[in-house]
Amino acid sequence: MTSPSPASAATVRNVLTLLASRDAQLVAGAEGLERRVTWALRMRARLPAFESIRGGELALLSLTQLRRLDETLPHLLQTLHREGIAAVAVAAPSIEALGSEAEAVANRLHLPLIYLPASAPLEEIVREVITFVASFRSEIERRATEVAHQLMQLSVQGVGIQGLCEHLARVTGKWVVVQDADYAPRWQVAPPSALPEGMLPSHLPSLLDDDLLRQEGLARVVVPILIRHEIVGYLSLIGREQTFDYQERLLLGQVSPILALEFVRERERSEVESRYQLEAFLDVVQGNYQQPEEMQARARLLGHDLTPPQVVVVFELSPQHATPPTGTIIAGWSRRVREELLRSWPMAWVVTEQQRVTALLPLGDLRTGSGDARSDHELEQALFSRLERVHNRILQSTNFLKGETAAASGGTRSVARGESDPLYSVGIGRIAQQIQGIGQSMREAQQALEIGRRLFGEGRLHSFARLGIYRLLFHLYGHEELTAFYRETLGPLLEHDSRGGELIETLECFFRCNGNLSEAARAMHMHRNSLLYRLERIEELLGQSLEDSELRLSLQIALKIRYMLQDR
């Protein structure tokens, strides 16, 4: 059975084949025969016996010379293993001369121990091995250049990033993953299914954390994808650790610029498509069209059906979030919102900006519940409940992003408070039964966002249909008539409470309990008679009975105004 990746660096096994003409024999450490050999070194006549060890070398020495240095072979094997030596070849009178202890150490360390006859010309062997290793490296570079050329040809043919990843997975026998600048996976391609069973898993962990990959026996090599010094993504190869070598790193360096070109093309293509989508979307929500049928046909060409009832929803980050730098948690917020909306409404028309996401949601699948047509109120309730679930998933996905970011930075990156918790609000318009009503739904979503933020704060869903009388009061905000009505209606109670009373709170609770005295007394944790006394005091200060329906209406409106005027 062939290896999933072509031989791209000399192994100890390859070198041992080369040395067969020198009567070399493997004595111990057979489990290390697949170690990569990068160079060859001969032991010096003085200590330190070897210098400039970088790892991966074949160390050659004679037993006689080793004894002159007053060094033992078992101890030297342990030292060289710690330095990363790939294998050790010893010239000796016989295999037995190497000693059983040295064999035991080599087997325990999985360090190949090779016997050479005492007469073996070590200096010549060093040159042979270096030449042999260099020829392998040349082959690596040739192979990497060939693969890069193939990928460039495929890019010219227009196969796109997906096609390039598929070809790269075939020639390397490894998983290929392309992430965007926020470390979110965009493309994942598995190697061919013809690989030996168990060579690679059929699925990768959802979080590409190096520790999790190691638990699966996997390793990753990753390089950034750059466009004019800006990181636009990351390219990774994922495979068994022992199958990685110089070729993968060299190949990724050559492939990354090709993918950068694809990112540029995709960005330009996306910008053109987004411009057409945005223009059409704005025409729909602003009513910039002559004939509804023409607008519906135009939307249909862009993949959107406007015949079912629609509702406009606006997600917007809090103004406290300045324009975030690329790569932060908030920078990926609009993409997360889009993904979650499309998950619940696959046919939604979503337009994203950095601080804002506007969506036109078709409600065809919500119109029926339990087989019966839903009323407008039931439809609005179902819509609100689904958007609440979308909102919760967006918050959960923020935690996922934090994990991805920390993993990609080696777990050392700390996430600031404002960055880890994107604060945003949602405005929901009323349902438009026909395309002509979509513009009104858009205006209502914007008003709901503005009014809801002012009255109830950030981080909430604000439905225009649920704002009630606040829709009217909000547009009077700042007018003298509004403040005058508030003062005239509640003035005596406000003056009383300024000296330490609680009549306003009592009145609010009384109305909240729909005039039920027992329920209001329980809610305020007071005796019913005490509540009656307070209500009598309110009537005394106002000079009117609370049984008067006109007074009740005025008081309730004044309490709403009071809530609106409070700083929030």
Side-chain angles (χ1 to χ4, degrees):
M1 191 171 291
T2 59
S3 169
S5 177
S8 54
T11 64
V12 176
R13 188 186 302 278
N14 299 140
V15 172
L16 192 58
T17 302
L18 172 71
L19 298 179
S21 61
R22 302 287 186 176
D23 295 327
Q25 298 181 49
L26 180 68
V27 176
E31 294 187 20
L33 284 176
E34 300 308 318
R35 292 186 178 201
R36 308 295 176 174
V37 178
T38 60
W39 205 248
L41 296 173
R42 183 182 175 186
M43 190 176 73
R44 304 190 325 158
R46 60 184 183 280
L47 293 174
F50 294 91
E51 62 179 359
S52 302
I53 297 178
R54 298 183 179 180
E57 294 91 347
L58 170 68
L60 293 105
L61 61 130
S62 71
L63 197 59
T64 303
Q65 193 175 18
L66 181 65
R67 289 169 178 167
R68 290 199 196 106
L69 295 176
D70 197 23
E71 174 67 286
T72 66
L73 184 56
H75 180 264
L76 180 63
L77 290 176
Q78 295 181 64
T79 301
L80 293 178
H81 174 71
R82 286 194 297 269
E83 295 290 333
I85 286 290
V88 178
V90 182
S94 65
I95 292 178
E96 291 74 17
L98 300 180
S100 58
E101 185 182 353
E103 291 183 27
V105 170
N107 282 325
R108 177 169 55 83
L109 299 177
H110 302 161
L111 177 64
L113 177 60
I114 300 170
Y115 162 78
L116 289 170
S119 59
L122 298 185
E123 198 61 45
E124 288 183 19
I125 293 175
V126 166
R127 289 195 296 270
E128 286 178 6
V129 172
I130 290 175
T131 301
F132 183 71
V133 169
S135 68
F136 261 82
R137 181 158 296 191
S138 276
E139 177 60 21
I140 293 171
E141 294 170 355
R142 187 199 66 76
R143 175 63 175 160
T145 301
E146 179 185 327
V147 172
H149 179 72
Q150 293 170 356
L151 291 170
M152 180 59 77
Q153 292 297 316
L154 290 171
S155 177
V156 171
Q157 294 170 19
V159 300
I161 296 178
Q162 177 73 23
L164 295 180
C165 291
E166 289 173 356
H167 185 76
L168 189 58
R170 277 197 302 272
V171 298
T172 63
K174 294 177 173 61
W175 275 91
V176 178
V177 178
V178 176
Q179 297 166 287
D180 63 19
D182 299 318
Y183 305 103
R186 296 283 304 280
W187 291 271
Q188 286 190 2
V189 178
S193 57
L195 290 178
E197 186 176 354
M199 183 65 70
L200 283 177
S202 57
H203 295 90
L204 292 178
S206 58
L207 183 62
L208 295 181
D209 176 75
D210 288 339
D211 289 335
L212 291 177
L213 291 173
R214 273 194 292 271
Q215 292 175 15
E216 298 283 339
L218 301 172
R220 173 171 62 162
V221 177
V222 58
V223 295
I225 301 170
L226 299 170
I227 299 177
R228 296 190 186 93
H229 307 293
E230 173 196 356
I231 294 179
V232 296
Y234 298 90
L235 170 63
S236 300
L237 287 181
I238 298 175
R240 296 300 176 194
E241 188 168 3
Q242 64 271 21
T243 66
F244 279 102
D245 54 39
Y246 175 68
Q247 174 175 271
E248 278 76 14
R249 291 164 177 81
L250 181 64
L251 183 56
L252 286 184
Q254 295 189 16
V255 173
S256 175
I258 299 174
L259 284 181
L261 291 175
E262 291 294 332
F263 267 74
V264 171
R265 290 171 185 161
E266 185 184 72
R267 179 182 289 181
E268 292 174 349
R269 187 165 51 245
S270 177
E271 287 174 355
V272 172
E273 292 175 355
S274 296
R275 186 166 65 248
Y276 284 123
Q277 288 273 358
L278 179 60
E279 289 174 357
F281 184 86
L282 292 178
D283 286 345
V284 170
V285 299
Q286 294 174 1
N288 297 333
Y289 53 86
Q290 296 296 325
Q291 299 295 328
E293 295 78 11
E294 293 180 3
M295 191 67 249
Q296 286 179 329
R298 183 179 169 195
R300 197 173 296 113
L301 288 174
L302 295 171
H304 304 288
D305 182 9
L306 300 183
T307 53
Q310 309 277 327
V311 68
V312 177
V313 179
V314 178
F315 289 70
E316 189 171 83
L317 280 172
S318 169
Q320 76 181 48
H321 292 303
T323 301
T326 300
T328 63
I329 299 299
I330 297 175
W333 170 81
S334 61
R335 176 176 50 78
R336 286 290 175 185
V337 173
R338 176 186 176 84
E339 289 173 352
E340 292 302 337
L341 284 172
L342 291 174
R343 176 178 170 183
S344 292
W345 283 276
M347 301 306 294
W349 195 345
V350 185
V351 172
T352 61
E353 303 167 71
Q354 196 166 46
Q355 303 284 104
R356 181 182 175 100
V357 177
T358 307
L360 190 54
L361 308 179
L363 304 183
D365 64 327
L366 287 177
R367 280 189 294 181
T368 57
S370 302
D372 300 321
R374 282 175 164 162
S375 66
D376 287 348
H377 177 70
E378 291 173 330
L379 192 56
E380 190 274 332
Q381 290 277 26
L383 168 67
F384 195 87
S385 297
R386 186 180 290 188
L387 283 171
E388 281 186 319
R389 292 193 292 272
V390 168
H391 174 62
N392 290 332
R393 289 200 301 269
I394 292 169
L395 296 179
Q396 293 169 1
S397 68
T398 298
N399 294 328
F400 171 80
L401 258 180
K402 287 160 62 180
E404 274 287 316
T405 304
S409 59
T412 59
R413 182 178 178 217
S414 61
V415 182
R417 170 71 181 171
E419 180 184 328
S420 61
D421 298 313
L423 188 59
Y424 66 91
S425 296
V426 184
I428 309 168
R430 285 185 296 186
I431 297 167
Q433 298 294 336
Q434 296 179 328
I435 184 174
Q436 295 92 328
I438 291 175
Q440 179 64 26
S441 182
M442 177 66 180
R443 290 188 290 274
E444 291 168 352
Q446 292 175 321
Q447 289 181 26
L449 188 63
E450 185 181 358
I451 296 171
R453 275 178 161 165
R454 175 67 183 84
L455 297 181
F456 310 112
E458 293 280 4
R460 300 186 181 203
L461 276 64
H462 307 295
S463 172
F464 187 84
R466 298 186 175 197
L467 288 175
I469 196 172
Y470 286 118
R471 303 198 312 247
L472 302 177
L473 297 179
F474 186 79
H475 293 291
L476 295 174
Y477 182 75
H479 288 231
E480 289 185 9
E481 292 84 353
L482 189 74
T483 306
F485 176 83
Y486 166 66
R487 293 284 180 190
E488 290 169 6
T489 307
L490 292 180
L493 304 184
L494 293 171
E495 184 179 349
H496 175 275
D497 283 1
S498 67
R499 298 190 296 270
E502 298 178 338
L503 296 184
I504 293 289
E505 180 185 353
T506 301
L507 191 61
E508 286 182 326
C509 186
F510 176 70
F511 286 136
R512 194 162 52 245
C513 295
N514 297 314
N516 187 310
L517 295 176
S518 299
E519 186 179 339
R522 282 195 300 272
M524 296 193 70
H525 306 289
M526 63 191 309
H527 194 275
R528 192 173 187 273
N529 290 339
S530 299
L531 175 62
L532 283 171
Y533 170 77
R534 287 192 185 183
L535 294 175
E536 290 172 359
R537 181 63 176 148
I538 289 172
E539 291 178 329
E540 179 183 337
L541 290 171
L542 295 176
Q544 298 182 68
S545 171
L546 290 175
E547 297 295 328
D548 188 329
S549 60
E550 291 294 330
L551 175 62
R552 284 198 183 201
L553 176 60
S554 296
L555 288 173
Q556 291 186 67
I557 292 174
L559 289 172
K560 299 288 187 185
I561 296 172
R562 176 175 178 269
Y563 187 81
M564 190 171 67
L565 294 176
Q566 289 176 334
D567 291 331
R568 303 202 168 273

